[in-house]
Amino acid sequence: AERDAQQQQASRTKQILSAAGLPVMESPTHIVPLLVGDPELCKMASDRLLGVHGIYIQPINYPTVPRGTERLRITPTPFHSDALIAELQDALVETWDALGIPYGSAGRPAVAKSDRIIPLLVPKSGG
């Protein structure tokens, strides 16, 4: 019964997060991976979720996954209610917006402005 409930809540989490436009990666298991695609942003998202929302989600970075596929690993349990899944969705959307992480192709566009500062490297011309 608990295994079935876990599969049900994992499936519900995937549906709710996908409907919000979050980049849920394909997974036949109970794990719900969310593509971030950048190691720094992945860690920042994990830190923000914990610091601002009190939710710990493990960041998965290279060498565990290939570069460019960095992700957050969500593992719903049978004890995560629909209300908790809705709170998770709200926290993730706030985090995606705050950090300017791209949404999935079917979802909303990434926020154009971000507090994240990325140094611009301009190649030297000539000599």
Side-chain angles (χ1 to χ4, degrees):
E2 286 179 355
R3 202 171 289 170
D4 288 341
Q6 181 177 34
Q7 289 299 324
Q8 180 179 354
Q9 290 311 87
S11 177
R12 179 158 180 75
T13 301
K14 290 173 185 178
Q15 291 171 353
I16 295 293
L17 300 184
S18 291
L22 292 160
V24 176
M25 300 173 76
E26 290 289 322
S27 171
T29 70
H30 64 284
I31 295 168
V32 181
L34 282 183
L35 179 66
V36 176
D38 177 283
E40 183 181 337
L41 282 175
C42 195
K43 177 72 168 98
M44 290 169 66
S46 178
D47 290 347
R48 183 175 186 86
L49 286 162
L50 184 58
V52 174
H53 301 283
I55 299 171
Y56 176 70
I57 297 178
Q58 185 174 6
I60 308 294
N61 288 323
Y62 176 85
T64 305
V65 296
R67 286 185 174 98
T69 67
E70 294 83 5
R71 65 199 70 177
L72 295 179
R73 177 185 175 171
I74 302 167
T75 310
T77 73
F79 307 106
H80 287 106
S81 67
D82 292 349
L84 286 175
I85 293 169
E87 288 177 29
L88 172 63
Q89 182 240 318
D90 291 343
L92 287 166
V93 166
E94 187 281 332
T95 298
W96 251 241
D97 288 346
L99 299 178
I101 301 171
Y103 280 84
S105 59
R108 302 186 316 230
V111 175
K113 181 178 181 296
S114 172
D115 292 334
R116 181 171 179 242
I117 299 170
I118 303 171
L120 179 61
L121 300 175
V122 180
K124 292 181 181 180
S125 60

